[in-house]
Amino acid sequence: TGDSRIVAKRYADQAVLLPTVSDTPRTDFASIKDYFDAFLLKEPQGTILEGDIRIGDGWAQDAGIYEFTMGATGDKVKARYTYVYVYENNQWKIAHHHSSVMPEGIDIAKSITEDEVRGLFQLWNSALDTLDSDAVAKRYAKEGVLLPTVSDVPRTDYDSIKAYFVDFLKKKPQGVILESYVTSGPGWCMDDGIYEFTMGATGDKVKARYSFVYTNEDGEWKIAHHHSSQMPEEVVAKASLPESAFA
């Protein structure tokens, strides 16, 4: 489905997920969903290659090797898995899920692809769609910096970033990338270009230039730097008009 909420609901109320490409144990619905927000960008589909099953009273275990085909790139990745299932509210749920790279084989932690980098914008754009400034601010790294389009004040922490979006979200913005230029390295990636926002509250369309720098923080891609600026030729053109033009 590509929906991280549906995946997270497969886990029990007190489940533990030890993911393949994150150092952070996930121990509740929110943190499990958070992991799959990023993982599902790869469009994974899995197949069990080897499995060893044990069954007890109210529990079951499946351990072995599975292989994922990443629909976004075509890559195939093997990993070891352990699932422990418990019978909870008349349904089998995942109580424990431990996934690890093949110690003698492929490293799943490959560099992020250009399409995956561009997909990170959609996570931010989807957060805008919630109209929840908290959800948007959480897309930024712990030491993230935001240089906003319509504020002179640099935002350098969670509270100030959230405060900016409290006002911006009143316009009900939805963005689309018009031009994108991606670069990446170990543990970081950058997407620069031009985006356009449609303001749902007014119907206005606004173009701006953007720079997103992402870092891998606790196994998830977060915005470390976001610089957004008005199209300079439009600004200069408006500044050169006589005062009578704005009457």
Side-chain angles (χ1 to χ4, degrees):
T1 66
D3 187 337
S4 59
R5 293 170 300 176
I6 293 176
V7 180
K9 285 178 180 178
R10 295 303 314 147
Y11 291 77
D13 291 340
Q14 297 184 352
V16 175
L17 165 64
L18 303 179
T20 322
V21 291
S22 171
D23 293 341
T24 306
R26 312 296 172 124
T27 59
D28 56 26
F29 176 86
S31 62
I32 291 171
K33 177 184 177 297
D34 182 69
Y35 175 75
F36 285 108
D37 282 342
F39 186 62
L40 290 177
L41 291 174
K42 301 177 181 181
E43 301 176 11
Q45 274 295 297
T47 301
I48 290 177
L49 302 181
E50 300 177 32
D52 180 77
I53 294 174
R54 309 291 172 90
I55 299 173
D57 185 10
W59 66 272
Q61 176 184 289
D62 184 6
I65 297 171
Y66 46 22
E67 182 177 67
F68 288 95
T69 300
M70 306 301 178
T73 63
D75 291 345
K76 289 184 179 289
V77 180
K78 286 183 183 178
R80 301 178 299 176
Y81 71 85
T82 300
Y83 288 101
V84 176
Y85 301 94
V86 295
Y87 203 66
E88 183 175 278
N89 298 324
N90 297 316
Q91 188 177 11
W92 287 101
K93 291 290 186 81
I94 303 166
H96 174 79
H97 180 193
H98 186 162
S99 185
S100 64
V101 298
M102 301 294 287
E104 300 175 14
I106 299 170
D107 184 359
I108 196 173
K110 295 181 178 179
S111 298
I112 190 169
T113 67
E114 287 194 10
D115 286 343
E116 288 171 340
V117 173
R118 293 187 179 97
L120 296 175
F121 170 80
Q122 294 305 326
L123 291 178
W124 179 79
N125 201 37
S126 295
L128 293 183
D129 197 35
T130 68
L131 302 181
D132 183 348
S133 57
D134 178 68
V136 181
K138 285 179 177 176
R139 295 306 315 154
Y140 291 77
K142 294 172 185 173
E143 297 185 2
V145 175
L146 166 64
L147 302 180
T149 321
V150 291
S151 172
D152 292 342
V153 180
R155 312 296 171 125
T156 59
D157 58 25
Y158 170 84
D159 289 336
S160 61
I161 292 171
K162 181 176 184 291
Y164 174 76
F165 284 108
V166 167
D167 290 329
F168 185 61
L169 290 176
K170 292 176 182 177
K171 302 176 182 179
K172 300 181 179 178
Q174 268 297 288
V176 61
I177 289 177
L178 303 180
E179 297 180 35
S180 170
Y181 305 92
V182 170
T183 53
S184 62
W188 68 272
C189 56
M190 180 167 60
D191 184 6
D192 304 306
I194 296 171
Y195 47 21
E196 183 176 66
F197 289 95
T198 299
M199 305 302 178
T202 62
D204 291 344
K205 290 183 179 290
V206 179
K207 284 184 184 178
R209 301 179 300 175
Y210 71 84
S211 296
F212 286 102
V213 177
Y214 303 94
T215 57
N216 201 285
E217 184 174 277
D218 298 327
E220 184 180 5
W221 291 101
K222 291 293 185 79
I223 302 166
H225 175 81
H226 179 194
H227 186 163
S228 185
S229 66
Q230 300 178 59
M231 302 297 285
E233 294 177 17
E234 293 181 6
V235 175
V236 171
K238 289 179 181 178
S240 65
L241 290 173
E243 290 185 9
S244 60
F246 299 97

